[in-house]
Every structure is written in structure tokens, then in C-alpha cells.
Amino acid sequence: QVQLVQSGGGLVQAGESLTLSCAASGVTFTRYALAWFRQAPGKERKFVAAFSQRHGGTFYTDSVKGRFTISRDNAKSTVFLQMNNLQPEDTAVYFCAAAGGVILSQLRTPSGYNYWGQGTQVTVSS
């Protein structure tokens, strides 16, 4: 049984940092694409970042480039999202996701992923 368990998140002020963690079990971690999405109230879930060895490394949405970093610890089967210089527009529920065979064209879409974490709230005050 595949499980993704998230931790981290919380309330910070603009300019501060947070790190989200997502521990995976029941998957061959190194063979999976791993991603972070976020969903603001009343809006659709949107891509933030992904790591895919199959597709050549890391991918980010433009609005977080230079501020967010996705990384993974294979020994602990954990993926991280380091978020620096957070802004109010980063406020959302953040979800980690994993996929065993996502194709490149679906790497940035929720439909490309089979498994999801429970979500964690990130709130950035101005």
C-alpha cells in the first residue's frame, strides 16, 4: 500500500522560509517522479515543482524559480520542498505527489500522478 505522509507547513510572514517534507512508503522511491502541487481556496490544484530522474532532473513553475527547491533523500524515501522568500500569493494547501510512469507532457498536471499526500496548509501574511 502506497502512502505519502506530509509534514511541515504553518504560518509565516512574507520573506520568511518553510520546509515541507513528504515521506513515502510502499513505493520504489528511486523509480518514481515526485512533485509538489498547491491549491488556493476556490482554485484548481497547480503544479509547483517536480523531480524526475527519467525526464532529466528538476522542474519548477515560473513563479517559484529561484525561491523554492525540491530535493529528495533516497535513504529516507523523503522528498522536500524548501521555500524561501515566501510571499502572500504562496498561501495554499500544498500536496506532494508520486507517479511511477508519468510522461513528460503530464509532469506538471495533477492527472499525471497516482498517489497523493494529505495536504498541508502554508499561510504567508504580509
Side-chain angles (χ1 to χ4, degrees), residues 26-62:
V27 299
T28 306
F29 189 72
T30 55
R31 297 181 182 178
Y32 275 63
L34 301 165
W36 290 93
F37 288 78
R38 63 188 180 187
Q39 189 166 16
K43 297 190 176 180
E44 63 183 11
R45 193 168 298 187
K46 293 185 177 180
F47 173 77
V48 176
F51 180 94
S52 172
Q53 187 170 344
R54 175 185 176 190
H55 297 302
T58 56
F59 303 81
Y60 297 93
T61 192
D62 287 346

Side-chain angles (χ1 to χ4, degrees), residues 101-124:
V102 63
I103 59 177
L104 185 59
S105 62
Q106 290 190 317
L107 193 68
R108 297 171 183 260
T109 65
S111 61
Y113 294 83
N114 312 91
Y115 307 106
W116 292 87
Q118 79 275 20
T120 187
Q121 178 70 45
V122 172
T123 303
V124 186

Side-chain angles (χ1 to χ4, degrees), residues 65-85:
K65 285 181 181 177
R67 300 189 298 124
F68 290 14
T69 302
I70 186 171
S71 62
R72 59 195 289 168
D73 183 335
N74 289 336
K76 296 182 179 180
S77 296
T78 299
V79 61
F80 303 95
L81 184 68
Q82 173 67 42
M83 305 182 291
N84 297 328
N85 190 22

